[in-house]
Amino acid sequence: MSTNKTKSILLKTAKYLGITFVVIIGLLFLTPIIFADKIKEQIKKTANEKLTAELNYSDVSVSFFQHFPSLTLTLSDLSLNGSAPYTSEKFITAKEVSFGIDVASLVFSKEVKIDQIYLSDSFINVKVNAKGEANYNVYKSSANATDPKDSTDADASLKLEKIEILNSKIIYDDLSTKIHFDAFGFNYLGKGDLTKAVFDLYSKAKIEKLNIVYEGEPYLMNKKIDADLITKVNVNSLSFYFQQNNLKINQLLVDFKGKFDFLKDGYNMDFVIKSDNSKLYDVFTAFPPKYITWLSKTELKGNTNLLLTLKGNYIASQNIAPDLDLDVKIDSGFVNYNKSAFPVSNLNLEVKTKVPSLNPDLVIVDAKNLSLNINKDYLKSKFYVEGINTPNINADFKAKIDLEKLTKALGIPAIVLKGNLEGDAKANGKFDLKNKLFPVTNGTINLENGYLKTPYYPNPITNIIIKSTINNQKGTFDDLKVSLKPTQFTFEGKPVFVEADLSNFNDLTYDIKAKGELDINKIYKVFSQKGLDLDGFVKADLVLKGKQSDAEKGRYSKLYNKGTLELRNIGITSEYLPKKFIIKEGIFKINQDKMSFNNFLAAYGESDFKMNGYLQNVFNYVTTNTGVLRGSFKATSRYINVDEFMSNTPANTSVTQTKTETPAPQTAAKTGVIIIPTNLNLQFTANAQKVNFDKLNLLNAVGNLNMNKGKLSMQNTGFNLIGCNVGMNANYQAITPQKANFDFSIKAEDFDIKKAYNEIEVFRKMASAAEKAQGIVSVDYQLKGRLNGNMDPVYPSLTGGGTLSVKDVKVRGLKMFNAVSKATNSESMQNPDLSKVDIKTTIKNNIMTVERFKFKFSGFRPRIEGTTSLDGKLNLKMRLGLPPLGIFGIPLTVTGTQDNPKIKLGRKGEDLEETKDSE
């Protein structure tokens, strides 16, 4: 072939190729322009029809060059709000969201098919509230999605084959499961035939930083994740089956399989997470960050096997939770922190943990092996525990180990612990306090040359010696024997010695010797925790020997209890009291079962006490739940604030709400009633200069108080209230922390009404009509009923009765008398003056019944009887006797309320109401 002909062919080929290239380039530019409006319109229409949430974006572009060779629709600065109840908060924001479009569908189909999605620089913010309501339910499913005839009706459809997410952030915050995780630097590539209802999704994911927090506790922080996943997705049922998933958490390789289904009110889970034959060092790289510093200085060797399963439904609203199993195994472990001369070797651990329904009360921990060596020293243990409240226990513990070498090899921070620990103990059986069961036990635990120093206090506890034995062959409380001979330590240069033999815990037989001085404030700082504090000083020189039953039955000659116990600034807390009871100064002298004290000074909040007397059955009370503390003493006080003794248990708890939720209406917080412990039998003779109780200020309060079986009785109690001497007897008993019963009788003479109304809140509530009255009254009344959680009377529960005597009383501006004056044209009825009247009343079912009483003033002789409710409603009958002798009178009935009384004359008279002119 000639050179010219060859050149001609090449030129023609180049020409056609050039034309073809130009046409292709032209089509690449023209196709997006030609179909841009159609694509934009159909995407907008689809968004409106298929999304339940608000979608916004700043610009739309169509191009072949964004993700060549795919034709892509790109939405810039996209934001998609969440579904209810998060409709005003962003669910997804992204710098760009691109949709790959099937070009053939533009030309040959009525619908635009989207087969690829790309997200870049996005933020996916998933939220689930405490009720299980999530913000991701933004896609509106078709009512007839399963009907194939409907498949061609849509103008645009998702036929996904590829999902790619670049440089994004995901936050998942689920209040129902209390799980929170953050993923930063998230990159994801997913491929599969997403056009099917059931398809396999092949995924690769990388996360630069992953944080996982459960119930506020961080489990993974700043972890790097590399995952290769195969997931079977069922679109119709919203379920995910993880078939083959290889994860790498920092350096730990994990295999993850399972299933996850979305339910109406929760989830169904079936997860299996395992790591077989991993290196111990690699496991610790996946631990929380506080261990990383320790890891950098520690030589770790050994193999581990981990298995975590989580299976079952999680429905928060029905308190349904899945079962959790966790198996951990370590073989031939080696730990050496900071090049210790005595490393831990032969570290072996095999623990299986089961938590059915995520309920701690049902937990089962089976530790088949926990063992290690430090040279010839050893620790060997195994235990099985089933349950929390009444656990079944099977444990075996053997140890001969130098604690200083162990703590240095493990790198336990900030604590110096020394001493030679030797132990050999076995236990098998049930611990059940109610049924007096204790595991069959036999063992000894001894510590020699002990030493403890923490960073919270500069000086250590030294010379610690513990020699203990425990024995129980029958598995019952009556066969339990505990011996401490001796236990001693030295703190701040002062030694403390304790020896004890305890046996038969059904009828405790004890032999205890204690001697030493202890500054509780300083020794507590050795174990101090932020936010807690404890004060006090104890000096003891005691010998206690006897039997519980002898103390209970008063056989004191069989006891040998002698010695002294000195207390100063001791803080005592109790479940019954919201504040700390502080013993400022007190010396107890112990003789047999009686503990006497003189000039015992104490304080509780603002209250102060000085006491003399004795306590009895103290040892039985302290060591058992059934022991009753008996005693009798005199107490004097300058000031007692009874309100401070009220229980502060909240009546209801609040749940953290999201910003978009409407908070549920809350009831007023209840402080709780005063609870008298049932295991007290105490007699007080009390004298207090001032007592504050429910906004009442009582002066010179004296009386006899008895506490017995949870009931408080006050006999011959007297006090001065607003200048009036009051005598009272009362009984009080709490039924629950929010309810109490009471009854009392009260007698008060020459009580100033005006002063009582101004200064006593409870008087204003129960006698609101006294606002316009002045004068002197006397009261002789009995009342019983119930108190609520604020120590306020529950009015419908009140029953009782008595006499109210009035003299020299003037009533001014009372609307009922003004209305009567208006109805009868008697101006003197507006402001009656009462010389002396005895008014007898009874109270029941929120109604006060007023017996008939008469009085006279200005020539008139009124007679009144009827009822009035404690909330102010009136139902009274009156007869207004006319001057001069009241032989003739006008019958009236008074109904309505104290603020708006309605008056009727005669039996069929007209309703008359007070006008403004009569006020």
Side-chain angles (χ1 to χ4, degrees), residues 120-401:
S120 63
D121 299 304
S122 63
F123 174 30
I124 302 172
N125 187 22
V126 180
K127 287 189 174 184
V128 183
N129 65 16
K131 298 178 182 178
E133 299 169 329
N135 70 338
Y136 50 71
N137 297 315
V138 296
Y139 186 75
K140 189 189 302 180
S141 60
S142 174
N144 301 311
T146 59
D147 190 347
K149 291 183 291 185
D150 293 339
S151 62
T152 59
D153 294 339
D155 291 320
S157 62
L158 293 174
K159 306 290 185 180
L160 293 179
E161 296 176 359
K162 181 179 180 180
I163 300 174
E164 187 172 0
I165 301 174
L166 299 173
N167 191 31
S168 296
K169 177 173 69 172
I170 298 176
I171 292 181
Y172 179 91
D173 189 27
D174 190 337
L175 298 180
S176 68
T177 60
K178 299 179 182 177
I179 294 175
H180 178 99
F181 72 75
D182 308 320
F184 299 94
F186 178 69
N187 293 275
Y188 174 83
L189 176 62
K191 294 181 179 181
D193 190 357
L194 281 66
T195 62
K196 297 180 180 180
V198 180
F199 59 89
D200 289 336
L201 178 64
Y202 299 85
S203 307
K204 289 188 176 182
K206 289 187 177 181
I207 303 173
E208 292 299 320
K209 290 183 181 180
L210 174 67
N211 305 322
I212 297 180
V213 178
Y214 178 65
E215 290 190 338
E217 182 68 24
Y219 283 81
L220 295 179
M221 297 297 290
N222 299 324
K223 301 305 176 187
K224 188 173 182 179
I225 306 296
D226 195 345
D228 194 355
L229 317 171
I230 299 177
T231 307
K232 184 179 288 294
V233 180
N234 189 323
V235 177
N236 292 333
S237 62
L238 269 182
S239 66
F240 301 86
Y241 177 50
F242 304 97
Q243 295 174 293
Q244 177 182 331
N245 299 277
N246 299 315
L247 300 176
K248 188 176 182 181
I249 306 174
N250 279 7
Q251 298 183 39
L252 177 65
L253 293 173
V254 177
D255 181 54
F256 173 46
K257 295 180 180 179
K259 184 179 180 182
F260 187 88
D261 294 332
F262 285 91
L263 305 177
K264 182 180 179 181
D265 298 317
Y267 317 99
N268 174 266
M269 293 174 277
D270 188 356
F271 293 147
V272 178
I273 303 172
K274 65 179 180 179
S275 179
D276 290 334
N277 203 28
S278 300
K279 294 181 179 179
L280 183 60
Y281 181 89
D282 294 343
V283 172
F284 273 85
T285 65
F287 273 38
K290 62 183 178 182
Y291 296 101
I292 300 302
T293 302
W294 172 86
L295 187 61
S296 65
K297 297 181 180 180
T298 305
E299 183 182 0
L300 276 177
K301 298 177 183 178
N303 298 320
T304 65
N305 290 280
L306 304 174
L307 176 63
L308 172 69
T309 65
L310 187 64
K311 185 175 183 178
N313 290 341
Y314 191 100
I315 304 176
S317 60
Q318 300 178 34
N319 292 322
I320 296 175
D323 299 331
L324 173 69
D325 290 356
L326 175 62
D327 297 349
V328 179
K329 187 175 182 180
I330 299 176
D331 290 324
S332 304
F334 177 91
V335 185
N336 189 0
Y337 176 78
N338 205 23
K339 298 181 180 180
S340 169
F342 303 98
V344 170
S345 61
N346 298 322
L347 173 62
N348 295 284
L349 174 68
E350 186 175 356
V351 180
K352 295 180 181 290
T353 304
K354 296 180 181 293
V355 190
S357 299
L358 294 180
N359 185 348
D361 293 335
L362 304 177
V363 68
I364 298 174
V365 179
D366 186 4
K368 295 182 178 180
N369 183 20
L370 171 59
S371 60
L372 58 86
N373 289 97
I374 300 179
N375 288 348
K376 294 183 179 181
D377 287 357
Y378 64 89
L379 185 152
K380 296 180 180 179
S381 175
K382 63 179 179 179
F383 58 89
Y384 177 90
V385 179
E386 181 177 352
I388 296 295
N389 294 324
T390 57
N392 278 313
I393 301 170
N394 188 353
D396 189 349
F397 173 82
K398 291 183 175 65
K400 183 180 180 182
I401 200 160

Side-chain angles (χ1 to χ4, degrees), residues 32-87:
I33 298 173
I34 294 171
F35 293 102
D37 291 338
K38 178 181 178 181
I39 294 171
K40 294 176 183 179
E41 184 64 29
Q42 292 183 358
I43 290 296
K44 183 177 181 181
K45 184 177 180 181
T46 300
N48 290 332
E49 291 177 352
K50 296 297 183 181
L51 296 178
T52 61
E54 180 183 350
L55 176 68
N56 294 297
Y57 46 85
S58 64
D59 191 21
V60 182
S61 62
V62 183
S63 172
F64 273 105
F65 302 102
Q66 187 80 7
H67 295 279
F68 187 81
S70 297
L71 176 62
T72 56
L73 167 76
T74 301
L75 305 179
S76 301
D77 302 321
L78 177 138
S79 68
L80 174 64
N81 285 9
S83 56
Y86 297 96
T87 54

Side-chain angles (χ1 to χ4, degrees), residues 16 57 59 116 170 189 200 253 291 302 363 406 442 507 526 540 610 747 854 893:
Y16 292 136
Y57 46 85
D59 191 21
Q116 299 178 22
I170 298 176
L189 176 62
D200 289 336
L253 293 173
Y291 296 101
V363 68
L406 179 64
N442 186 21
D507 181 12
V526 175
K610 182 178 181 180
K747 194 169 185 178
K854 302 176 182 179
T893 59

Side-chain angles (χ1 to χ4, degrees), residues 865-880:
E865 61 186 302
T867 62
T868 176
S869 67
L870 297 183
D871 57 3
K873 295 180 181 179
L874 303 174
N875 186 12
L876 299 173
K877 295 180 181 180
M878 295 183 62
R879 180 183 182 278
L880 182 61

